[in-house]
Amino acid sequence: QKEVEQNSGPLSVPEGAIASLNCTYSDRGSQSFFWYRQYSGKSPELIMFIYSNGDKEDGRFTAQLNKASQYVSLLIRDSQPSDSATYLCAVRNTGGFKTIFGAGTRLFVKA
Amino acid sequence: NAGVTQTPKFQVLKTGQSMTLQCAQDMNHNSMYWYRQDPGMGLRLIYYSASEGTTDKGEVPNGYNVSRLNKREFSLRLESAAPSQTSVYFCASSGRGGDQPQHFGDGTRLSIL
């Protein structure tokens, strides 16, 4: 079992819809959770991080964390074609340094 | 406003050659990381350095060595390059604290023939 798992996609949604991206992790003691966006040929850039159970909202993005289920998700409201990218889930371990990434989910937003 | 700088951006090597990838950050971050990214595999952690003077193995350390030269610089060395090491390599850094995000360099595209 991989330490961090994501559905590779591609996930295709129409413009204006909600895109839902999911991630599960195996280390129950993980403390911090990050979502990065990566455009083709570019480096990852941070979208959000979350470390408490529940929801965290930032503009059109909402991160959701459920530590009991070892599950973290990212919702993108009012999806735009510019949101088309690969979304990487990252989990930081209990020591606070080692960060493991999932394989990423490719999102396509159709105009 | 450089952030994380990686050199070189592109490199082609022959099997068996050695090479060092350089990484420097100007954000006074304690932790630095080396990842490789292959199609469909996401980012895989090679080595990381929690602070100056320490280094630890990640998920895929075989065939690589690292040096944390000082707080700013963290280099990755391939002693005898193999075609399986063809990949895009990213360096990243982060501040102190488990909630600090990583900041990435632009990557080094390495091809080994």
Side-chain angles (χ1 to χ4, degrees), chain A residues 32 36 38 41 92 97 99, chain B residues 33 35 37 98 100 102 105 109:
Chain A
S32 305
Y36 289 83
Q38 186 176 26
R92 186 159 291 162
F97 300 110
T99 303
Chain B
Y33 309 80
Y35 292 91
Q37 187 171 38
Q100 295 300 302
Q102 292 174 307
R109 283 149 183 79

Side-chain angles (χ1 to χ4, degrees), chain B residues 33-101:
Chain B
Y33 309 80
W34 276 106
Y35 292 91
R36 62 177 289 175
Q37 187 171 38
D38 303 295
M41 300 293 289
L43 289 162
R44 291 186 291 170
L45 182 63
I46 304 172
Y47 272 93
Y48 66 102
S49 172
S51 61
E52 185 179 356
T54 68
T55 60
D56 286 284
K57 295 179 180 179
E59 301 171 272
V60 289
N62 291 343
Y64 305 95
N65 286 302
V66 291
S67 294
R68 184 73 183 267
L69 303 172
N70 47 55
K71 191 171 186 178
R72 290 186 64 248
E73 299 173 286
F74 188 39
S75 63
L76 178 71
R77 183 162 178 83
L78 287 70
E79 290 291 351
S80 179
S84 60
Q85 295 177 304
T86 293
S87 188
V88 179
Y89 291 85
F90 286 102
C91 177
S93 69
S94 66
R96 187 182 299 277
D99 62 343
Q100 295 300 302

Side-chain angles (χ1 to χ4, degrees), chain A residues 85-98:
Chain A
T86 296
Y87 289 80
L88 302 168
C89 171
V91 177
R92 186 159 291 162
N93 71 342
T94 53
F97 300 110
K98 183 178 178 181

